[in-house]
Amino acid sequence: MPLSTPRLPAFDEPGPAKSTAGRGGALHEQPALPTLALLDDEQEWTAFSRPIAQQAGCWESNVLIEGMHCAACALTIEDALRRVPGVRDVEVSSGSHRAKVVWASQAVTPSGWMQAVHEAGYRALPANDAFARERRLAESRKALWRMMVAGLCMMQVMMYAYPAYVAQPGDLSAELEQLLRWASWVLTLPVIFFSCGPFFSSAWRDVLHRRVSMDLPVALGMLITFLVSSAGTFDPEGIFGHEVFFDSLTMFVFFLLAGRWLELRLRDRTAGALEALMNRLPDSVLRLESEGHYERVPVRRLRAGDVIRVLPGEAFPADGVLLQGHTSVDEALLTGESRPLTRQVGDEVISGSHNLSAMVQMRVDRVGAQTRFAQIVHLMESASTSKPTLARLADTIAKPFLIAVLIAAGLACAYWWQTDPERALMVAVSVLIVTCPCALSLATPAAMLSAAGALARRGVLVRRMDAFESLAGVDTVMFDKTGTLTRDAMVVNRVHVREGSTRQQALALAAALAQHSLHPLSRALVLAANSSDGTGLWQVDQVTEQAGQGISAKVNSSGAAGPVFSVRLGSASFCGVVSANASALQVHLSDDAGWLASFEFQEDIRHDAPETVAALQRAGIRVYLLSGDASEAAHRVAHQVGIQEARGNCSPQDKLDFLRASQQQGHKVAVVGDGLNDGPVLAGAHVSFAFGQAVPLAQAQADFLVSGGRLTNVAEALLLSRRTLTIVRQNLSWAAIYNAVCVPLAVFGLLPAWLAGLGMACSSLLVVLNALRLSKDARFERKS
């Protein structure tokens, strides 16, 4: 999704301009807020949508949904959007409060389907809306105020209710008891008209649209309790005058609001991580103009080839190459690399990373949808709106369950009405409140969003939430070799030298020639010489490189008057030697006296590959290596990393056949590849990991994208997926046990309303806190 465009302002009804503090404390005018119709301008679509390449004229938009509280709300919004002509697909997540909408531009405009959301009683905002965070903070502050008002009034009401609980017959006169009731009634009014406002407004919206959500039974319970207690206050001699329940009402309102406020805070931690990533790009940047001066321009006006200046503390707005300067960059949110990385002239920088230490000049190579940053944001948005199977099941039963709750409350009220009308209504209130399925709807999305956030901080991006369920059942992992278990670079494995020479001397001489070549083996020789102690210094002249053969030069000792001699570095034929080990990858070094040294190379195995394989095997996973390289090379790498079964000379079809054979035997298979030639096998696996720096751009088939350089992320993801499914099962079990125990108690009148409210709030909070453990599990914390 191209996020190089400036973030859209919040859209609402037009209002007066507001003055806000800008950078450096200067005040600037905030423009009037536009209406939905402004989003119908096709030039604005790329700010919150991306075209779908496979479907001409179709766009995929990610939006925030305001006003929803539960799974039933998510289903209502999905139904409303699917009824709009031109809307092809919809997914709404009750956990992240985000929606993904696929729509055809020939049939509908953004204002059309957003208006449908508005008519359903909710509000859709572009996912990168500039004021989303401010509105979310404002919502949190309002929720806190409502909770504090309810808490303050609850304490006062309970103080007035206490005498009625402890007084013996004759201790309280009728006048004093009535005065206490009137005082409680007055103190309950702010709770009803202010603190309960969101519950009543949502319930009224449901009534108008003839539907049901979780706020409807809760609001009914509050309203019934208030009306029954008010009737007892106004008419102490009536059928409801025996007792009032203002203390119970204010108490369960406080508990419910406290639970929702904590849920809101915990959910914001997940939303904040995605929002922090989406809003990393600056709104404007300094661009070098043809006249030689810099002009600040909007980021969306950047084009490939532009030269820009990035100041310390700013984010790089595009992918490109440094032309001037030397700095450190922070790529933690993009690659999982927690330490600052050094970048100098000629090095690549990626959009979304932060310039930490110095002003630099860079050439823009890729902007918008072509950048790695835009791809990563799109993947995270897709993951935040996708629904796992268990979440779909919970969403499906949410509405029928709520209808059953209303019926159960009515039946309980009818049963008790014959003996005690006052108690009958309070029993119905307890049933309405205690059975609200908040915990059920939060059980799965809360856990999986928490796990996805934990992996994202380690550089692993989740494309589908369903992948957690599949990964937890994996018993076989297939690794590609090149680019996955090994790095792209080669390393010196062995050095053979003629008698009278040393390894250090041979490496130093070879590196003196190799530094004049860009060949990968030359770079490996230079690296090996730099890491070797006691290297000598050589002066090289008349360097000639013969493509595909080697390098020749005249050499003498630097700073010495020694003789000048000819040296050759390259293939056996180029150096005039006979290779003793034709199967090994070798480079030879010769001088005027003949053969001097031979260097054997091998692929650079990732340092954490053996640790990753061992962790998977300890978890009971069978590990295979399938490579398109020669069998000998594949078995050598397999032996070094601890894999027992390896196959070489595998074509993509061979890998796919092996995968299908394993699946037919009943195995659940995960595939880990570099995303370059593993497309078929990645698509065919139960779960797939695409590994490598270029993955977010190159790989669309994988379920997990490992954008950092840590192979141990694969093992961590597998273990975390098992932990996640355990947490989900715990949450669902708790929700089921809670309802199985509390519903009968409420029906039989053994659960007062205040305790029902406390139980519902604590149940939802317990589910969220249990899910939050996934993001704080010490076993998955990054090692420093």
Side-chain angles (χ1 to χ4, degrees):
M1 173 176 156
L3 294 179
S4 61
T5 55
R7 293 182 295 276
L8 284 176
F11 61 88
D12 202 344
E13 294 302 320
K18 298 179 181 179
S19 178
T20 57
R23 293 183 179 179
L27 295 178
H28 65 279
E29 291 297 314
Q30 177 179 310
L33 302 179
T35 61
L36 282 177
L38 292 182
L39 297 180
D40 290 343
D41 184 354
E42 189 170 350
Q43 294 183 351
E44 301 293 340
W45 293 355
T46 55
F48 63 99
S49 309
R50 60 188 296 271
I52 301 177
Q54 298 82 0
Q55 304 177 43
C58 286
W59 292 73
E60 179 185 302
S61 299
N62 282 275
V63 293
L64 300 170
I65 303 295
E66 290 187 348
M68 64 179 294
H69 300 289
C70 64
C73 296
L75 291 177
T76 297
I77 296 169
E78 288 181 354
D79 292 341
L81 285 170
R82 287 195 174 101
R83 288 195 295 267
V84 177
V87 173
R88 302 289 180 83
D89 188 35
V90 182
E91 279 192 6
V92 180
S93 171
S94 58
S96 63
H97 290 200
R98 288 177 173 268
K100 180 178 70 176
V101 184
V102 178
W103 49 282
S105 58
Q106 302 92 339
V108 68
T109 58
S111 65
W113 53 265
M114 287 187 181
Q115 183 63 29
V117 176
H118 178 74
E119 291 173 356
Y122 304 90
R123 192 179 185 194
L125 304 170
N128 58 332
D129 182 77
F131 300 114
R133 176 174 174 79
E134 285 77 2
R135 269 196 309 274
R136 201 171 66 244
L137 291 175
E139 179 187 0
S140 181
R141 284 193 293 268
K142 286 182 181 178
L144 181 61
W145 271 108
R146 292 189 180 98
M147 181 187 70
M148 292 174 62
V149 168
L152 179 63
C153 293
M154 174 196 70
M155 291 186 291
Q156 297 298 318
V157 170
M158 290 196 66
M159 182 178 68
Y160 292 135
Y162 179 74
Y165 284 107
V166 300
Q168 299 296 323
D171 288 350
L172 278 178
S173 64
E175 292 79 6
L176 180 58
E177 183 177 2
Q178 187 65 10
L179 179 62
L180 293 176
R181 288 189 178 186
W182 276 107
S184 298
W185 181 81
V186 171
L187 287 169
T188 304
L189 292 178
V191 177
I192 290 294
F193 290 104
F194 177 67
S195 298
C196 296
F199 299 103
F200 290 143
S201 60
S202 296
W204 181 244
R205 178 190 63 200
D206 294 337
V207 170
L208 292 178
H209 291 86
R210 286 180 279 185
R211 61 174 186 248
V212 61
S213 73
M214 294 183 189
D215 282 342
L216 182 57
V218 172
L220 283 175
M222 294 174 179
L223 185 60
I224 291 172
T225 305
F226 179 71
L227 293 179
V228 168
S229 300
S230 297
T233 302
F234 284 91
D235 185 10
E237 304 301 325
I239 59 173
F240 301 119
H242 176 68
E243 188 178 0
V244 295
F245 304 93
F246 295 118
D247 54 335
S248 296
L249 171 62
T250 54
M251 190 179 297
F252 75 67
V253 169
F254 172 73
F255 289 146
L256 291 177
L257 291 174
R260 284 206 173 181
W261 181 75
L262 289 173
E263 289 173 23
L264 180 65
R265 296 287 296 174
L266 293 174
R267 190 182 71 240
D268 284 350
R269 293 181 58 178
T270 303
L274 176 58
E275 198 171 77
L277 178 63
M278 293 178 60
N279 295 332
R280 282 172 76 89
L281 295 189
D283 292 325
S284 61
V285 68
L286 292 170
R287 184 176 65 184
L288 181 63
E289 302 299 327
S290 57
E291 297 83 4
H293 67 276
Y294 285 91
E295 180 182 354
R296 185 164 290 277
V297 297
V299 169
R300 66 176 173 181
R301 290 175 55 186
L302 289 180
R303 297 293 182 267
D306 286 348
V307 176
I308 61 174
R309 175 182 290 172
V310 182
L311 303 177
E314 289 185 342
F316 291 98
D319 292 352
V321 176
L322 291 188
L323 301 178
Q324 292 181 10
H326 180 281
T327 187
S328 297
V329 300
D330 175 13
E331 297 181 358
L333 281 179
L334 303 177
T335 66
E337 176 57 60
S338 59
R339 295 171 297 181
L341 302 175
T342 301
R343 293 290 183 265
Q344 53 191 358
V345 174
D347 289 342
E348 291 187 358
V349 291
I350 56 178
S351 62
S353 60
H354 267 108
N355 179 20
L356 297 179
S357 56
M359 180 181 68
V360 293
Q361 187 185 76
M362 67 172 285
R363 182 188 71 240
V364 174
D365 288 343
R366 292 178 297 275
V367 296
Q370 287 74 41
T371 63
R372 289 183 59 204
F373 174 79
Q375 294 291 330
I376 290 173
V377 169
H378 172 64
L379 293 171
M380 292 188 68
E381 286 181 331
S382 297
S384 68
T385 56
S386 63
K387 286 187 180 181
T389 303
L390 292 174
R392 290 192 183 98
L393 177 62
D395 289 358
T396 301
I397 66 175
K399 280 191 175 181
F401 185 86
L402 287 170
I403 295 173
V405 165
L406 296 175
I407 295 174
L411 293 176
C413 181
Y415 173 79
W416 283 96
W417 189 270
Q418 302 174 12
T419 57
D420 190 344
E422 185 177 27
R423 189 175 186 184
L425 290 174
M426 295 313 298
V427 166
V429 168
S430 297
V431 173
L432 288 171
I433 294 173
V434 79
T435 54
C436 189
C438 292
L440 181 66
S441 65
L442 288 171
T444 300
M448 293 195 174
L449 284 172
S450 182
L455 288 179
R457 287 191 292 274
R458 292 163 177 79
V460 181
L461 304 178
V462 184
R463 292 187 69 245
R464 298 186 304 109
M465 289 297 183
D466 279 342
F468 278 113
E469 299 175 35
S470 302
L471 184 58
V474 161
D475 60 11
T476 303
V477 174
M478 292 169 45
F479 280 98
D480 179 43
K481 179 177 69 69
T482 306
T484 304
L485 292 174
T486 67
R487 302 182 190 274
D488 294 332
M490 306 294 289
V491 293
V492 176
N493 182 30
R494 292 178 182 154
V495 180
H496 305 279
V497 298
R498 75 186 177 195
E499 188 176 354
S501 298
T502 66
R503 182 181 189 274
Q504 289 79 8
Q505 291 172 343
L507 277 173
L509 181 57
L513 273 71
Q515 65 183 351
H516 296 279
S517 171
L518 297 177
H519 193 279
L521 298 184
S522 297
R523 292 198 298 267
L525 280 171
V526 173
L527 182 63
N530 290 338
S531 62
S532 179
D533 295 331
T535 58
L537 297 176
W538 300 91
Q539 185 173 355
V540 179
D541 195 13
Q542 299 180 27
V543 179
T544 302
E545 182 172 9
Q546 186 172 339
Q549 294 297 316
I551 307 172
S552 61
K554 298 291 185 180
V555 179
N556 74 322
S557 298
S558 178
V564 177
F565 57 95
S566 298
V567 178
R568 287 192 168 212
L569 176 70
S571 65
S573 60
F574 181 74
C575 296
V577 300
V578 178
S579 176
N581 185 4
S583 62
L585 180 59
Q586 292 183 327
V587 168
H588 305 278
L589 180 69
S590 65
D591 59 9
D592 293 335
W595 174 79
L596 177 59
S598 294
F599 307 95
E600 290 186 9
F601 296 84
Q602 69 176 16
E603 292 173 292
D604 185 13
I605 296 176
R606 294 185 184 275
H607 68 89
D608 55 354
E611 178 187 354
T612 302
V613 172
L616 292 173
Q617 292 172 341
R618 285 195 302 270
I621 305 298
R622 301 172 60 191
V623 182
Y624 293 89
L625 187 153
L626 275 72
S627 175
D629 207 346
S631 293
E632 183 179 348
H635 282 87
R636 182 176 63 248
V637 171
H639 175 72
Q640 290 177 304
V641 301
I643 296 178
Q644 304 300 321
E645 301 182 61
R647 295 187 181 186
N649 298 314
C650 291
S651 66
Q653 185 61 47
D654 293 334
K655 294 181 180 181
L656 188 58
D657 292 340
F658 183 87
L659 170 68
R660 289 173 176 169
S662 297
Q663 292 174 333
Q664 288 173 0
Q665 295 172 7
H667 296 294
K668 302 292 185 182
V669 185
V671 173
V672 186
D674 62 2
L676 299 178
N677 59 356
D678 298 317
V681 72
L682 288 171
H686 291 99
V687 186
S688 53
F689 289 82
F691 194 88
Q693 292 293 340
V695 163
L697 288 175
Q699 191 47 251
Q701 301 295 339
D703 303 308
F704 294 89
L705 305 181
V706 187
S707 59
R710 300 174 67 243
L711 195 60
T712 51
N713 282 331
V714 174
E716 290 178 356
L718 189 144
L719 296 174
L720 185 59
S721 68
R722 293 182 175 181
R723 179 79 169 146
T724 300
L725 265 291
T726 299
I727 294 291
V728 169
R729 294 188 188 100
Q730 289 174 354
N731 286 346
L732 293 175
S733 298
W734 163 252
I737 293 172
Y738 161 77
N739 281 283
V741 172
C742 293
V743 171
L745 293 177
V747 170
F748 288 108
L750 302 177
L751 194 70
W754 67 269
L755 189 56
L758 177 61
M760 190 193 103
C762 290
S763 177
S764 301
L765 189 59
L766 179 64
V767 164
V768 176
L769 290 175
N770 194 32
L772 194 62
R773 291 194 298 144
L774 291 167
S775 63
K776 293 185 176 182
D777 197 324
R779 290 178 298 173
F780 305 107
E781 288 298 323
R782 178 182 297 281
K783 296 180 181 179
S784 57

